[in-house]
Amino acid sequence: MRNIWLLLKNYLLCSIGNLRRKNTRTKAVVGVSILTVLSLGWFAFYTWCMFMIADVYAEMNMQACVLMYGLVISLFLSVIFALQKVTGGQKANDNELLLSMPFRKIEIMVAKALSRFAVNSLVVVLFFLPCIIAYLGTTQFSLPAFFGCTTTMLLIPLLGVGLSYIVDYLVTVCFSNSKLGNITKALFTLLVLIGVLAIYEFFMLNMNTPFIAGLIIWMVKFNPLVMVPLIVIVLAMFILGNWLNALLLNREARSTHAKATQISHRSITPFRAILKNESNRYFNSPTMMLNTILGPLALVALTIWLVVDQGATMVGLLCGTFVISKDVAYLIIAIIYAAAGVLTYPAAFSISLEGKQLWILRSMPISAATVLSTKVLFNVILLTPISLVCGVLLGTILHLSPLCLVALLIIPTLAHVLVSYIGVMVNLYFPKLEFESEAAVIKHSMSSYLMMLGGVVIVAGMMALVISLADSLPAMALFAIIASALALADAIVITLTYTIGQRMFNRL
């Protein structure tokens, strides 16, 4: 037990070290403090939204609907995080070191599983606990409901840990020996991700299905005939995943591939060269793709749902819950389009990925403004064209008003530009140029965490502003306020990037 605690403490210290620039303790404290404030802000906002929804459903005695939302979203996020943890055999470099120390394999496995469980639990707490609080706060307190909700909240992270290990084993065994192993792994995981997204959309469209309704009833009543088998199944998946992970613990998955290099004599500008390098790095990195492709996929899936459903379900829910007009509802949908940019933030770690080779880029006769512009532009190009196409299709097929169409085009674009420039600035302030694997930069760096949570808070702030002012201002005025605020924020962060940001880049 002492060794397990020691390993857990080491993982915690390593995580804090990943959030720190070199050995600067002050920046680590500042970064963790900001993350804590952003998390608490999101938790408060989401709890407020769930209470509002629960109050609406209380008139029909259907407060359990908030538990449906929390359960579906938490399961979806847990599966997504499980897929993002898939390494396909590219394990962390500490395995050999840990195995050479006086630690038993079971202790290493337990410590790693507990650390993953803790991370998944934080996600569930942020998205499921507010729904539980809203349900228990708007209904008469029930001890079975409390135990049922608490048990479910503990089972979801366990399911995520077991699923990540099982999928990791399958991907490693099936694709590691292939010549196109990295591409195959990325495509396989991407297809699984699309399937999970399709299932999520199905359940969001059919919240009143007997399966979901029955599951909520079983959870609220804590029916042992259902909950006990469910607990056994989740624990079996958790144990199976850890057993498969033990089989891979000593597996050597590193391989070398001969690469043919062709020399081109065609001249190319520095801007295009760096932009091309960013593109090649992105599409040749399964880890980067899997951690940032969710935004475009979510955007396309949402558009398909709205087009097929004619916007009836989502617009009806928004109008009924917040008592707003149809135009204001589509203004909120435009903000949800902008939220896709929160999930697509390669600019937040693009400078860090240069690593120890950053001196090569700085030694070339290329200005800092050119380098920073390419980092930003690639982030914008990755999502904005998809957003514009989805907005035009939605506005044309559903015959939306000119205001709604313009909002669907302008608000996401301004938000994507803002996220891209903020990502670069955050990465300049919290660079991580020394790392063993790119996963440490993409998944566990301070800039990535801040960008994700900061983007969530920005989107939540826009939604709260629209909902709170919907009674007193028309949709046109709300659109003008949101667009002006985003444009002003864009102007400020762009100015900071090409002034302070350039100086920060030159000091790296």
Side-chain angles (χ1 to χ4, degrees), residues 18-19 348-349 432 440-450:
N18 286 335
L19 305 180
F349 47 77
K432 183 176 177 58
V441 177
I442 297 171
K443 299 179 181 180
H444 306 301
S445 63
M446 173 63 76
S447 57
S448 296
Y449 289 148
L450 285 177

Side-chain angles (χ1 to χ4, degrees), residues 388-461:
L388 292 176
V389 171
C390 290
V392 170
L393 287 176
L394 186 63
T396 304
I397 296 176
L398 299 186
H399 305 289
L400 300 180
S401 65
L403 173 63
C404 296
L405 179 59
V406 172
L408 287 169
L409 300 179
I410 298 299
I411 290 179
T413 301
L414 292 175
H416 299 158
V417 173
L418 180 63
V419 167
S420 301
Y421 274 99
I422 290 179
V424 169
M425 286 297 295
V426 171
N427 197 195
L428 286 171
Y429 192 78
F430 293 101
K432 183 176 177 58
L433 303 177
E434 297 181 2
F435 50 87
E436 295 180 350
S437 66
E438 63 179 18
V441 177
I442 297 171
K443 299 179 181 180
H444 306 301
S445 63
M446 173 63 76
S447 57
S448 296
Y449 289 148
L450 285 177
M451 195 63 257
M452 181 173 61
L453 287 175
V456 169
V457 171
I458 291 173
V459 171

Side-chain angles (χ1 to χ4, degrees), residues 466-505:
V466 170
I467 293 171
S468 60
L469 297 178
D471 293 335
S472 55
L473 294 176
M476 177 65 77
L478 293 174
F479 167 70
I481 292 173
I482 296 296
S484 300
L486 286 174
L488 178 61
D490 284 344
I492 293 174
V493 75
I494 289 173
T495 303
L496 292 175
T497 301
Y498 293 117
T499 53
I500 299 176
Q502 288 190 66
R503 293 195 292 269
M504 294 171 67
F505 178 79

Side-chain angles (χ1 to χ4, degrees), residues 143-149 151-152 216-228 231:
L143 198 59
F146 174 77
F147 282 121
C149 294
T151 303
T152 305
I216 295 300
I217 292 174
W218 296 331
M219 181 173 62
V220 171
K221 294 184 177 181
F222 198 67
N223 188 343
L225 295 178
V226 177
M227 295 301 292
V228 171
I231 293 171

